[in-house]
């Protein structure tokens, strides 16, 4: 083979290889394009599936909300008798048409007529404008509460007769509303009989639409709500400037201080003493610095501790007597401008009972907020005994001049003495036992005075006896 033929052969092979290479490259490019198109189609289907899933979730959520709202409306509108009649209408018509039972069809049709005839009575429930007013929002236990309710038809159509319910605590006051033309109103007096001590919620006024048979019912509550503070009964007590509740303002105590009003003695100067207290005449005589020493004078500070544990009282009436006695003592102290703190036990969860101590202070800056606080005091099943309340009172407050401990008849004298030991020795402690079956008496017991009252009026007499004894 010649040199030229060899070159020609290599050229042909090279060209063939190049052609195959180009073909292979073109084939590869074609294959890549096909794969990209397949991936694009798959992603489109995925996005369509995602959109369908999102739409389905939204539709399901909307349907669920609609079903829930319909169920709530049905539960609030359809009464048990209405549900029974609606079930009878559905069952009667279905069974009558399926099996040809005429009696069932008549019963179903009659039930359906009753349901349809009850619907018009629901119209106009929101056409009323109700104004509820009370003459007093603070009364004493046992007093009546007077007020007025004004109902006006603010709609453009005739308002059918209806009813207005006004919740009063756990009770209910009903008013019948006659036929009202547009723009017309009617007013009726509201008389709430004697209430027990507490915080009573009056309102909201609720318009009630119902058919004569009681199948359907529609209500609309207004926002006008009143809180009535029912204060405990109190009695007038002697002034705290005499008797058991002594005024210690300006009177010296046994505690010695460096500066006060009551002079006690002269002692030698010690580092830290004020130079203003140096007694120069004694200093000149002794040749050493001498300073004055005084007895501390303390303003009288009074505490009223009220036990609220359910186990410490025979019944609820005995607890009300205790609340009235504590409120009377606090009211007398406020009127005499005394520093007084009123302490009651606080509710403690059962899971931490025995490991947690808590008390509650009733504000006593003035008679009204103090009596409002007493309105919210209740018997508690899970709380500290009165001895622990006294201990926390002594630890958390300032030094007290006198402390009243008000308890029920189920607290023995030994526990009352233990409660008195929680206070400092210079604090006068008076135990007040409320027992409606006992005669009023006063007795000294181990450094403290114990008063027993059967009625609220006994308290004033016992305090006067202590003032003259």
């Amino acid at each position: 083979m010649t040199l030229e033929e060899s070159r020609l052969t290599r050229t042909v092979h090279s060209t063939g290889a190049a052609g195959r290479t180009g073909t292979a490259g073109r084939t590869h490019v074609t294959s890549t394009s096909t794969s990209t198109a397949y991936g694009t189609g798959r992603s489109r289907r995925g996005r369509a599936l995602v959109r369908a899933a999102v739409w389905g979730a939204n539709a399901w959520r909307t349907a669920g909300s609609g079903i829930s709202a319909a169920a709530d409306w049905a539960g609030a509108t359809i009464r048990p008798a209405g549900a029974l009649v609606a079930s009878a209408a559905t069952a009667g018509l279905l069974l009558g048409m399926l099996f040809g039972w005429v009696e069932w069809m008549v019963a179903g049709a009659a039930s359906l007529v009753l349901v349809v005839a009850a619907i018009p009575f629901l119209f106009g429930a929101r056409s009323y404008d109700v104004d509820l007013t009370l003459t007093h929002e603070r009364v004493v236990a046992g007093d009546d509460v007077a007020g007025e309710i004004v109902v006006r038809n603010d709609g453009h159509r005739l308002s059918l007769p209806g009813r207005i319910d006004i919740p009063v605590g756990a009770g209910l006051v009903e008013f019948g509303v006659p036929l009202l033309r547009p723009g017309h109103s009617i007013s009726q007096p509201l008389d709430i009989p004697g209430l027990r001590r507490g915080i009573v919620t009056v309102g909201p006024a609720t318009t009630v639409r119902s058919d004569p048979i009681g199948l359907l019912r529609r209500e609309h509550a207004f926002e006008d709500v009143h809180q009535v503070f029912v204060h405990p009964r109190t009695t007038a007590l002697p002034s705290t400037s005499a008797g058991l509740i002594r005024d210690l303002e300006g009177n010296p105590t046994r505690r010695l201080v460096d500066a006060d009003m009551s002079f006690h003695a002269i002692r030698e100067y010690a580092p830290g003493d004020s130079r203003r207290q140096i007694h120069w005449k004694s200093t000149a005589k002794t040749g050493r610095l001498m300073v004055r020493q005084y007895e501390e004078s303390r303003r009288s500070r009074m505490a009223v501790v009220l036990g609220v544990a359910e186990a410490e009282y025979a019944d609820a009436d005995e607890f009300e007597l205790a609340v009235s006695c504590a409120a009377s003592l606090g009211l007398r102290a406020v009127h005499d401008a005394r520093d007084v703190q009123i302490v009651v036990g606080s509710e403690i969860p059962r899971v931490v009972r025995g490991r947690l101590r808590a008390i509650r202070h009733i504000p006593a800056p003035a008679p009204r907020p103090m009596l409002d606080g007493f309105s919210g005091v209740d018997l508690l099943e899970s709380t500290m005994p009165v001895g622990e309340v006294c201990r926390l009172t002594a630890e958390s407050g300032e030094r007290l001049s006198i402390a009243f401990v008000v308890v029920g008849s189920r607290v023995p004298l030994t526990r009352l003495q233990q409660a008195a030991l929680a206070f400092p020795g210079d604090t006068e402690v008076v135990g007040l036992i409320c027992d409606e079956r006992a005669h009023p008496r006063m007795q000294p017991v181990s450094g403290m005075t114990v008063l027993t009252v059967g009625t609220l009026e006994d308290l004033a007499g016992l305090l006067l006896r202590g003032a003259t004894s």
Side-chain angles (χ1 to χ4, degrees), residues 260-402:
D260 214 306
M261 298 175 58
S262 179
F263 176 76
H264 174 65
I266 296 176
R267 61 173 176 81
E268 190 174 352
Y269 177 84
D273 289 340
S274 175
R275 293 184 179 182
R276 292 181 299 177
Q277 304 301 331
I278 295 178
H279 192 263
W280 295 107
K281 291 184 178 181
S282 299
T283 301
K285 291 180 180 180
T286 60
R288 298 187 303 272
L289 288 176
M290 305 296 291
V291 295
R292 301 179 183 88
Q293 194 174 32
Y294 299 86
E295 289 178 335
E296 180 190 23
S297 59
R298 186 173 69 244
R299 184 178 180 181
S300 61
R301 186 170 180 83
M302 174 178 163
V304 179
V305 179
L306 173 63
V308 294
E310 188 176 354
E312 297 174 351
Y313 294 90
D315 50 31
D317 292 336
E318 187 175 280
F319 177 67
E320 292 301 321
L321 175 60
V323 174
S324 296
C325 291
S328 300
L329 292 169
L331 195 61
R332 181 71 265 178
V334 171
H335 284 161
D336 290 342
R338 298 291 180 261
D339 289 339
V340 58
Q341 56 174 330
I342 302 172
V343 185
V344 298
S346 181
E347 187 171 9
I348 300 176
R350 290 183 176 273
V351 292
V352 293
R353 187 176 181 181
R355 294 173 294 174
L356 177 66
R357 300 190 304 167
I359 57 177
R360 183 165 67 92
H361 291 264
I362 295 178
R368 175 174 290 185
M370 186 196 69
L371 294 175
D372 287 349
F374 273 111
S375 297
V377 174
D378 295 320
L379 275 175
L380 300 178
E381 182 181 359
S382 179
T383 186
M384 296 186 306
V386 67
E388 292 294 328
V389 178
C390 292
R391 187 170 291 108
L392 271 185
T393 303
E395 294 174 357
S396 61
E398 299 179 2
R399 297 178 64 87
L400 299 171
S401 302
I402 187 168

Side-chain angles (χ1 to χ4, degrees), residues 244 318 321-322 325 329 404-413 416 430-445 448-463 465:
L244 293 172
E318 187 175 280
L321 175 60
C325 291
L329 292 169
F404 280 87
V405 183
V406 185
V407 296
S409 61
R410 291 187 176 179
V411 178
L413 285 178
L416 197 56
V430 178
L432 183 57
I433 300 177
C434 299
D435 187 359
E436 294 182 325
R437 297 164 296 181
H439 295 286
R441 63 180 180 272
M442 174 189 298
Q443 55 181 336
V445 178
M448 65 178 298
T449 304
V450 178
L451 309 179
T452 303
V453 298
T455 62
L456 182 59
E457 289 72 20
D458 296 337
L459 180 59
L462 291 176
L463 292 179
R465 185 186 306 174

Side-chain angles (χ1 to χ4, degrees), residues 44-280:
R44 289 178 179 175
R45 287 195 298 271
R47 287 196 296 269
L49 290 175
V50 169
R51 286 196 296 269
V54 171
W55 181 86
N58 292 334
W60 177 260
R61 191 180 300 109
T62 303
S65 300
I67 293 173
S68 177
D72 293 340
W73 180 87
T77 305
I78 303 176
R79 312 306 297 166
L84 180 62
V85 172
S87 302
T90 304
L93 292 176
L94 287 178
L95 293 176
M97 289 186 293
L98 288 176
F99 299 101
W101 295 341
V102 179
E103 295 83 358
W104 284 86
M105 293 183 65
V106 172
S111 301
L112 181 61
V113 169
L114 288 177
V115 173
V116 172
I119 293 177
F121 288 92
L122 304 181
F123 298 154
R126 297 178 181 267
S127 62
Y128 287 148
D129 181 23
V130 180
D131 184 18
L132 174 63
T133 58
L134 299 178
T135 55
H136 300 286
E137 294 190 352
R138 286 174 173 84
V139 296
V140 180
D143 292 349
D144 297 341
V145 177
E148 184 183 25
I149 180 169
V150 179
V151 184
R152 178 183 177 86
N153 182 10
D154 281 349
H156 300 288
R157 296 187 300 270
L158 192 69
S159 178
L160 296 176
R163 191 177 83 244
I164 291 182
D165 294 343
I166 301 179
V168 179
L172 190 68
V173 178
E174 297 182 355
F175 287 96
V177 181
L179 187 73
L180 287 179
R181 291 180 295 176
H184 283 230
S185 62
I186 183 176
S187 62
Q188 296 186 16
L190 174 64
D191 187 15
I192 302 175
L195 297 174
R196 292 182 62 88
R197 181 191 58 84
I199 302 176
V200 181
T201 301
V202 179
T206 304
T207 59
V208 179
R209 289 289 190 180
S210 179
D211 59 279
I213 306 178
L215 303 181
L216 304 178
R217 178 189 179 99
R218 190 180 180 187
E219 299 179 354
H220 174 64
F222 294 86
E223 298 180 357
D224 196 7
V225 179
H226 299 265
Q227 277 192 336
V228 179
F229 290 88
V230 184
H231 294 165
R233 293 177 56 245
T234 57
T235 186
L237 300 180
S239 175
T240 59
S241 60
L244 293 172
I245 319 175
R246 291 187 297 274
D247 179 15
L248 300 183
E249 185 172 3
N251 288 352
T253 65
R254 299 176 183 176
R255 185 180 178 185
L256 301 181
V257 294
D258 294 334
D260 214 306
M261 298 175 58
S262 179
F263 176 76
H264 174 65
I266 296 176
R267 61 173 176 81
E268 190 174 352
Y269 177 84
D273 289 340
S274 175
R275 293 184 179 182
R276 292 181 299 177
Q277 304 301 331
I278 295 178
H279 192 263
W280 295 107

